[in-house]
């Protein structure tokens, strides 16, 4: 059964199940078949006594509180009943999927976990490369006209997000193998670059900086001498990457026309310094800067929250917040936002207490992701990666102690 569960995790993390459903190979939507199947097989394999301790973990408490907020705030929300129901169901899936996957990762042997996470990354990154160089079957007009490629994730930003988090998770597991470590880093950098996702590339820069500063160790080894020496390594690393990009820019444009037209061409020009950096793409029609101001003002006017699904209902907002912090504040009020900020702080505390450097990087990226996306905890890849990182703390702790690190 562990291989069935592992195979389903690979499908979920790589968006393969959605792709297979889109092209008609899987006749039933994943939420109606594969996700319930995963949960059913999980409950057949593991007794609830095996993972009931996770109900006291900090991530479980966060997702449970968000579910409670979504149910409570549904009572006075002005959003449509369909959107409200969708949000409650999604929050329920998030809670259950996290709980089951974190236990799977901590219960199974390390070799199995490495294979599962490696295949998650390989399938998602491979689909992105295949889509870029050959082209996946297109099942709607939007995708067929999309210059930037996203593989099974469809959206290039989603592909970049999934690849970077899966690569970071794999780096935790193979940290002692230098060849595999640098190969994983290379795959991450190349595939995320091909998406031309700005948030993805910023995240890659952060990973490279943090990793180099800590000499890619899984333990926290930051000290003034190490940071000082790594500063020159960072300069050399990015100089090589940028010079390579400049040297091959024309070759890239000639062989891959998608880098010379539309939004992809504009972003390529920005990387090469041939055009000005535009922070608020989209202007007054709904760029992230405009959305930030609009939703922040709305939050200040309604600090107790507008109700479940308000920010997602197009009767009230043309676009969602594109910001998870504002998403919580707008829909569920100040209390939910404070709980999430406490969760972030507690996650940092755990990473420092249990000497988990990659977990610390993950939390930093999670904070950054929260500023560019409103649905981070409805994204299965991110939920699975969180479960992987949490399993490293819980597995290590339960090997030596009788209790989990519990949020007080």
């Amino acid at each position: 059964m562990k291989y069935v569960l592992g195979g389903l995790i690979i499908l979920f993390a790589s968006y393969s199940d959605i792709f297979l459903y889109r092209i008609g190979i899987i006749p039933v939507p994943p939420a109606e078949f594969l996700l319930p199947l995963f949960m059913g097989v999980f409950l057949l394999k593991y007794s609830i006594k095996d993972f009931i301790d996770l109900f006291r973990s900090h991530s479980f408490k966060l997702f449970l509180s968000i579910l409670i907020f979504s149910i409570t705030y549904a009572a006075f929300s002005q959003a449509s009943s369909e959107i409200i129901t969708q949000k409650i169901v999604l929050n329920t899936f998030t809670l259950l999927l996290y709980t089951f996957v974190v236990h799977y990762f901590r219960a199974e042997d390390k070799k199995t976990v490495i294979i599962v996470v490696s295949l998650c990354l390989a399938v998602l990154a491979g689909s992105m490369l295949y889509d870029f160089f050959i082209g996946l079957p297109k099942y709607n007009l939007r995708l067929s006209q999309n210059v930037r490629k996203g593989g099974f994730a469809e959206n290039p930003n989603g592909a970049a997000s999934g690849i970077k988090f899966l690569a970071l998770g794999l780096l935790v597991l193979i940290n002692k193998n230098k060849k595999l470590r640098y190969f994983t880093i290379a795959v991450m950098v190349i595939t995320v670059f091909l998406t031309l996702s700005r948030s993805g590339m910023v995240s890659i820069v952060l990973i490279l900086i943090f990793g180099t500063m800590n000499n890619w160790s899984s333990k926290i080894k930051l000290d003034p001498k190490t940071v000082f020496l790594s500063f020159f390594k960072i300069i050399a690393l990015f100089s090589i990457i940028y010079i390579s990009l400049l040297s091959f820019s024309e070759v890239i444009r000639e062989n891959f026309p998608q880098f010379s037209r539309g939004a992809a061409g504009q972003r390529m020009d920005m990387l090469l310094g041939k055009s000005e950096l535009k922070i608020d793409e989209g202007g007054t029609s709904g760029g992230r800067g405009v959305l930030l101001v609009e939703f922040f003002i709305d939050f200040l006017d309604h600090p107790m929250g507008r109700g479940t699904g308000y920010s997602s209902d197009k009767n009230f907002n043309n676009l969602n917040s594109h910001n998870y912090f504002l998403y919580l504040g707008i829909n569920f009020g100040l209390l939910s936002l404070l709980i999430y900020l406490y969760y972030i702080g507690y996650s940092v505390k755990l990473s420092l207490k249990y000497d988990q450097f990659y977990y610390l990087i993950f939390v930093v990226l999670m904070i950054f992701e929260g500023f560019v996306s409103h649905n981070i905890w409805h994204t299965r890849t991110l939920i699975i990666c969180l479960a992987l990182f949490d399993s490293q703390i819980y597995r290590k702790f339960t090997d030596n102690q009788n209790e989990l690190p519990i949020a007080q």
Side-chain angles (χ1 to χ4, degrees), residues 135-147:
L136 290 169
K138 300 299 186 294
Y139 37 83
N140 62 44
L141 181 62
R142 179 185 63 81
L143 282 179
S144 64
Q145 295 176 341
N146 194 9
V147 174

Side-chain angles (χ1 to χ4, degrees), residues 105-372:
F105 282 144
R106 72 172 187 169
E108 299 302 331
D109 60 278
K110 186 175 181 180
K111 181 180 179 181
T112 299
V113 175
I114 290 176
I115 291 173
V116 169
V117 178
S118 298
L119 289 176
C120 289
L121 176 61
V123 173
L124 180 56
S127 74
M128 213 288 301
L129 292 172
Y130 187 92
D131 195 12
F132 186 87
F133 290 105
I134 300 175
L136 290 169
K138 300 299 186 294
Y139 37 83
N140 62 44
L141 181 62
R142 179 185 63 81
L143 282 179
S144 64
Q145 295 176 341
N146 194 9
V147 174
R148 295 164 58 215
K149 306 300 181 182
F152 291 156
E154 302 179 11
N155 186 302
N157 293 321
S161 177
I163 289 169
K164 74 190 179 191
F165 281 117
L166 287 170
L168 189 64
L170 184 58
L171 287 172
V172 175
L173 302 171
I174 61 169
N175 183 260
K176 294 182 180 179
N177 190 318
K178 287 188 177 181
K179 291 183 180 180
L180 289 178
R181 181 205 307 165
Y182 290 124
F183 177 75
T184 301
I185 293 171
V187 170
M188 174 181 66
V189 172
I190 292 170
T191 51
V192 170
F193 167 74
L194 291 177
T195 66
L196 287 177
S197 166
R198 290 172 296 183
S199 60
M201 286 187 278
V202 170
S203 297
I204 292 301
V205 170
L206 290 174
I207 292 173
L208 293 176
I209 290 175
F210 278 106
T212 304
M213 289 174 61
N214 200 56
N215 201 27
W216 296 103
S217 172
S218 60
K219 306 298 182 183
I220 300 176
K221 296 182 178 180
L222 294 175
D223 59 71
K225 181 180 178 181
T226 305
V227 173
F228 178 76
L229 293 175
S230 65
F231 176 74
F232 297 100
K233 294 181 182 179
I234 293 170
I235 293 177
L237 176 63
F238 285 105
S239 297
I240 293 172
I241 293 175
Y242 190 69
I243 291 172
S244 300
L245 182 59
L246 286 174
S247 302
F248 292 101
S249 60
E250 293 305 320
V251 176
I252 293 173
R253 287 179 183 275
E254 289 177 6
N255 290 277
F256 304 102
Q258 52 264 56
F259 279 122
S260 60
R261 63 178 186 265
Q266 294 173 6
R267 295 187 182 191
M268 188 71 169
D269 286 339
M270 284 189 288
L271 284 173
L272 298 173
K274 296 181 180 180
S275 67
E276 294 182 0
L277 177 64
K278 296 180 180 180
I279 301 298
D280 186 17
E281 187 179 87
T284 57
S285 64
R288 280 191 171 88
V290 174
L291 290 173
L292 177 66
V293 173
E294 291 180 351
F295 277 98
F296 183 68
I297 292 174
D298 199 355
F299 169 63
L300 293 179
D301 291 338
H302 302 85
M304 299 305 294
R306 291 277 206 163
T308 305
Y310 170 80
S311 65
S312 304
D313 195 325
K314 292 188 180 297
N315 290 321
F316 307 108
N317 304 285
N318 290 327
L319 293 173
N320 213 318
S321 63
H322 284 69
N323 183 303
Y324 189 69
F325 300 94
L326 283 176
Y327 171 85
L328 288 176
I330 287 293
N331 292 283
F332 306 130
L334 179 61
L335 180 59
S336 68
L337 179 58
L338 292 176
I339 290 174
Y340 189 62
L341 292 176
Y342 176 80
Y343 169 79
I344 291 175
Y346 193 80
S347 298
V348 172
K349 179 181 177 181
L350 284 180
S351 67
L352 298 175
K353 183 176 181 179
Y354 297 102
D355 203 16
Q356 296 285 325
F357 185 71
Y358 283 96
Y359 191 98
L360 179 62
I361 299 177
F362 177 82
V363 175
V364 172
L365 294 182
M366 183 175 69
I367 295 171
F368 173 72
E369 199 81 0
F371 282 109
V372 298

